[in-house]
Each structure stands twice: as structure tokens, then as C-alpha cells.
Amino acid sequence: LRSVITSSGYERFMEDSRKGEPTLRSSMLSGAAWMVAMRWAVRGIGLVSTVILVRLLAPDDFGLLAMSYLVISFLEVLTSFGVDIALIQKTEKGKDLWNTAWTIKVVQISTVACLILVTAPFAADHFEEPRIVPLMAFLSFGIFVSAFGNIGIVAFRKDLQFNKEFLYQVVTKVGGFVVTIPLAFLLRSYWALAWGIVAGHFVAVGASYALHPYRPRLSLERFKDLWSFSQWMLLRNIGMYLRRRVDGFLVASFFNTNQMGYYGLGTEVSQLPTTELIWPMSRAFFPGYAKIADDPGRLASAYLRILNGVALMAIPAGVGLALVARPLVFVAFGETWAPVVPVLRWLSIYGVILTVSSGVQTPLVALGRMPRVTALVWTQTLIALSIIAFVATLGSLELIALAQVGSALLLLPLFFYSITSIRLVTWADLRAAVWRPVVAALAMAGALLVLPTSWIPLDAIELAIKVPLGALVYVGVDLGLWRLAGRPDGGEQLLHELISKRFKRDQGTP
């Protein structure tokens, strides 16, 4: 690492970790911990909700909501200018800039709400599902309400106040949870899900004003300044949406609502340990990247350490989930949801690849390389679309999930080339960052695959055996490789620092 990063930048970044006062590096690490905790708290609430709801509602209910949100989320991304990212990326301050950003969001989201009402009948005709019309109309009301949320909460991320961001997100999720579950017992239909979503929007708006004192006003004074950045964010967001939703859209088009429910649940669960890890970490790291974007050595050092840390956690989590997919589904959701198992296995592997590769976008955005990021996203989207569209005609959910893995593997070198070609890091740096987690995960997979399971009477027992065994093998192999490599600075060291910091705080050490 020292050989490819300028000495001054590397030493400055390492010096930050030795200072006793709060530093950018410690703020990024603390922010990452808060964001991961936030996302997992939100997802944990969602998982508990899902475990309850799958026993009260039919797969058809989940499939209907998934079909509705295929259209809604597409309309949202068509007007998504990324003004919150622009506010974080810009170093200047001023109420006129923030008021303009809020006004853009009000217009953007209000437009989406109107478009949902207009397109609902067409969506019902396309999916041959008339229940979509009233459902989308009701959901559009909640989306309209969300337009008036306080833009001031973006300052939580910009100023690295991630504890407040944590509180905001969790309060919002709890608001939806406490409405959805009682209504599911009462209604036993998809309307319980819809009411929970709308309630979450109301809670989010109220919480945004309760947690931040900023009071926005209508203004378009700085529209040109925001548009110069946001136009690329819009193109990028459309490409990312198409990439993430193409499989769901094709499943909805070629399969019935029950199969859509199976695939939707498999997608949701598979994202828990992988893409649900990179999303919150990216939210935490982007403000830090933006602050050091003018120092390539420091930025490269930060990216490589973070890449190693992400790989250290995401690879075993995704591979492990694929290995215990069958007992997990049977224990958590019941044998009725058995078709989810093969989908979950392949999508878990897909999530691993996507998590490791997509991290290159965050430093590129911080550097202002939006044309490069946009081109990368659209290339990925077009290649994946052609592969998955062909496979969808074969009539197998498992093959669609497998096609996701194949397209992600095919595009993995392209992602890494996008950052090596600007000479921020080298291919050798990337290999050094991920090889230990990869080898340790393969060892874990080998140990679990050779483990005989015919003598295990219950799925819960199989799960209770495989999870700790896989974790033990992975941790043992990875730490062994780390020690053999001379304890290089990386994810293992980052985790050690986080644990030590938390331990000292619990012990009252200043």
C-alpha cells in the first residue's frame, strides 16, 4: 500500500488515527458504524415484520405490492436529481442553496405523485391486475406528503452527525411497523402493507422537523448551480434503477403474482447481509470522501481500507446465507415458501459481487467524475438487461437469479477498471484488499458443504450448527492469513479499532 500511495498523503491519513482528538478518519469509522447499525435496525424491524406478515398474508399480497412499486419507483427515479448528494458534495453554505434544493424536491416528488395517478390504469392493464389502480392511488397520497419533509436532515450526513440520522430512520420505520402489524391481523390483505407505507411517510415528515431546526422556504435562486451536478445524478439514477429492477419487472411480466411474491421475498432477504451493508456505509463514507477529494493519496488509502473492510464482512455473509438458504427459509417463513430457496441462494452470491464492485462509485462521485460514473452504470445496465431478458423467456425463477450472478461476474472487471484507469489505485492494490476474505469464504463453504446433514432432525438445529461453524471457520482462516501476511493495515485492523473504541467507551476510558 505504501508503494502506490504518496508518502505525504499516506502518512497524513495514518497520523489522523493516532491523534486523540476527533478526526475525519474516526468520524468516518464512527459514521459507518452508525449507518450500518441504522440500516440493520431498520432492516431488523422489517425482517420481524416480514416474518409476521408472511404468516398472515398470501404471496399474492406481496406480489401485488411489488408490482405497484415497480412502476412507482421508476417514476421516482425519472425525477430524481440527487440534490441531497449535491448539497453534501458542495463545500459552500447558504440558505438560498438549501431552499432551492428543498423546492426542487417538492416539485419532483409532487410530480411523481401525479404521474402515479395517471399511470395506474396502464400498469393495471399491463400486469392484468385491476387491484393495482386503487392501491397505487392510495400510495401516491403518501408520496405526496413526503415531498414536504425538511431538507435540513441532509445536514446530518454532511456534518457527520450520523447518530441523528440513525434516530430519524429508525423512528420512521417504527412508525410504519406499528401500523402495519395490527392492520395485518385485522384486514388480512395487502391494504395493511399500504397503510403501513403511508403512515411511514407521515412519521418521516414529522420527525424531520422535530429533529432539525432548519425551516425551508420556496426558492429557485440557485437552480443552475445544483443542476450542473444533478443532471448527471439523474442519468446515473435512472441507469441504476433499471439495473436493480430489471429482474423484478421481467418476473412480473412473465410470471404470476405468487411467483412474483416468491422472487420478491428472495430478493429482500438476499440483500440483508450484502447490498444492505454497502448502502449505509456509502452514505457514511461519501461525506468523508468529499472532504479529502483534493488529496489523491489520502483518498486512495481510505478507499482501499474501506474496500477490504466491506469485503471482510460482505463476502462471508452473502456466501453463508447461500449455504443456509433452505433451513433458513423453512424456519423463518415455513415450507410454503420453499420456491424462495433456489432464488435466495443465487441472489445472495449476486449481492456479494455487487457489494464489492459498486463501492467504486462513491470515491468517483466525490472526485466529481460523474460522466464516468454514469457511463459505468449504463454499460452495466444494458449488458445485464440483455442477459436477463433472454433468460426470463425460459420460465424459471432460479435461472433469472443465476443470470444476475453471471452478469455481475462479467461486469466486475469493468467496475474496477473505472477506478484503476484514473490511477487512484492499482490492480495489485485491489487484489490485496480482497484475497483474504475470498479464500476464507471458500474455506467456510468447503467446511459446510462436506458437513453431513442427513442425521440432523430439524431445520432449526441445522441452522444452529451451520451458522456458528461457518463463522468459526471463516474467522479462523482469515485471521490466520492476516497474521501470515504480517498483519497488514486493512479491514481486520479497522474492526479491531472499532471494537477497541467501543470497549474503551464502555469502560469509561477517555
Side-chain angles (χ1 to χ4, degrees):
L1 186 62
R2 292 175 183 270
S3 66
V4 298
I5 300 174
T6 59
S7 176
S8 59
Y10 180 87
E11 295 300 335
R12 191 182 308 118
F13 189 77
M14 293 305 298
E15 183 181 356
D16 284 346
S17 66
R18 293 190 290 267
K19 295 179 180 178
E21 61 198 48
T23 64
L24 176 61
R25 183 185 177 195
S26 63
S27 296
M28 290 175 68
L29 294 178
S30 177
W34 273 111
M35 287 295 96
V36 171
M38 177 203 76
R39 194 61 177 177
W40 276 90
V42 169
R43 275 299 185 177
I45 296 170
L47 184 60
V48 172
S49 176
T50 300
V51 170
I52 297 172
L53 291 172
V54 295
R55 287 168 166 77
L56 298 174
L57 306 178
D60 177 80
D61 294 317
F62 291 93
L64 188 64
L65 190 70
M67 285 180 177
S68 299
Y69 260 93
L70 282 173
V71 180
I72 291 173
S73 55
F74 179 65
L75 294 175
E76 287 178 330
V77 80
L78 284 178
T79 57
S80 177
F81 299 112
V83 291
D84 53 339
I85 302 298
L87 289 175
I88 295 173
Q89 198 261 354
K90 291 182 176 295
T91 57
E92 60 182 292
K93 297 182 180 180
K95 288 186 177 181
D96 54 343
L97 189 68
W98 287 74
N99 286 336
T100 301
W102 182 75
T103 304
I104 291 173
K105 287 187 73 70
V106 169
V107 174
Q108 165 200 329
I109 299 174
S110 299
T111 302
V112 169
C114 294
L115 289 175
I116 292 171
L117 291 174
V118 173
T119 58
F122 299 100
D125 290 341
H126 176 78
F127 295 122
E128 298 180 355
E129 182 51 79
R131 292 175 295 173
I132 283 180
V133 176
L135 178 59
M136 289 180 61
F138 182 66
L139 292 171
S140 70
F141 172 64
I143 290 172
F144 175 74
V145 170
S146 71
F148 300 93
N150 188 2
I151 194 71
I153 60 173
V154 176
F156 294 157
R157 280 185 286 156
K158 184 177 180 67
D159 299 333
L160 306 179
Q161 296 176 324
F162 296 106
N163 56 328
K164 295 182 180 179
E165 174 80 0
F166 174 92
L167 179 61
Y168 170 73
Q169 295 289 345
V170 172
V171 166
T172 300
K173 188 65 176 181
V174 170
F177 176 83
V178 298
V179 172
T180 303
I181 300 303
L183 285 179
F185 278 97
L186 180 64
L187 302 176
R188 301 296 177 106
S189 82
Y190 56 88
W191 283 109
L193 303 173
W195 273 101
I197 292 171
V198 172
H201 287 309
F202 272 91
V203 174
V205 172
S208 68
Y209 286 96
L211 294 174
H212 199 281
Y214 187 75
R215 296 297 179 261
R217 299 289 185 270
L218 291 172
S219 172
L220 289 175
E221 184 177 348
R222 300 293 300 277
F223 178 79
K224 290 184 178 180
D225 294 332
L226 289 173
W227 177 246
S228 62
F229 181 89
S230 298
Q231 60 183 325
W232 290 109
M233 286 297 298
L234 175 61
L235 291 174
R236 173 218 183 209
N237 290 341
I238 294 174
M240 289 183 65
Y241 168 83
L242 293 175
R243 174 64 188 96
R244 292 173 179 174
R245 298 287 184 171
V246 63
D247 57 333
F249 181 81
L250 291 171
V251 170
S253 300
F254 286 90
F255 299 85
N256 59 39
T257 52
N258 277 342
Q259 290 170 305
M260 182 66 186
Y262 293 138
Y263 193 86
L265 183 63
T267 300
E268 181 177 356
V269 176
S270 69
Q271 291 175 347
L272 291 176
T274 50
T275 54
E276 289 301 322
L277 176 68
I278 192 64
W279 180 87
M281 294 184 76
S282 296
R283 285 172 66 88
F285 293 143
F286 176 71
Y289 282 150
K291 293 180 183 297
I292 58 176
D294 59 347
D295 190 335
R298 202 175 179 192
L299 181 62
S301 175
Y303 168 70
L304 289 173
R305 289 170 59 86
I306 290 167
L307 172 63
N308 180 252
V310 168
L312 187 69
M313 293 179 284
I315 292 176
V319 173
L321 181 57
L323 293 169
V324 299
R326 191 195 66 81
L328 176 63
V329 169
F330 283 19
V331 170
F333 309 122
E335 295 186 12
T336 304
W337 294 84
V340 173
V341 173
V343 172
L344 177 58
R345 283 174 178 157
W346 289 115
L347 290 183
S348 298
I349 302 300
Y350 164 68
V352 171
I353 304 168
L354 186 67
T355 299
V356 173
S357 61
S358 295
V360 304
Q361 292 190 45
T362 309
L364 289 176
V365 173
L367 288 168
R369 302 277 186 137
M370 288 306 302
R372 176 179 290 262
V373 173
T374 304
L376 173 66
V377 169
W378 274 97
T379 301
Q380 174 199 31
T381 299
L382 294 175
I383 292 176
L385 176 61
S386 60
I387 295 174
I388 299 171
F390 169 74
V391 172
T393 62
L394 302 179
S396 169
L397 293 179
E398 183 177 5
L399 287 179
I400 293 177
L402 180 58
Q404 288 277 57
V405 176
S407 61
L409 281 174
L410 181 65
L411 292 161
L412 181 62
L414 178 63
F415 272 88
F416 286 145
Y417 174 76
S418 68
I419 198 166
T420 59
S421 61
I422 63 172
R423 299 182 180 179
L424 186 68
V425 297
T426 68
W427 287 98
D429 299 329
L430 297 174
R431 287 194 298 270
V434 301
W435 76 270
R436 291 190 304 275
V438 169
V439 173
L442 290 175
M444 176 186 70
L448 294 186
L449 288 174
V450 300
L451 178 70
T453 58
S454 58
W455 58 274
I456 303 177
L458 298 174
D459 294 314
I461 297 177
E462 180 180 347
L463 201 61
I465 293 174
K466 284 187 172 181
V467 171
L469 176 61
L472 182 64
V473 172
Y474 175 81
V475 171
V477 173
D478 184 82
L479 288 180
L481 294 173
W482 183 54
R483 290 176 181 273
L484 288 175
R487 299 186 179 186
D489 194 24
E492 294 90 349
Q493 186 64 32
L494 281 174
L495 290 177
H496 175 73
E497 291 175 5
L498 286 173
I499 294 171
S500 298
K501 181 179 179 181
R502 176 62 59 183
F503 177 77
K504 291 179 180 178
R505 183 179 300 173
D506 293 340
Q507 296 298 317
T509 305

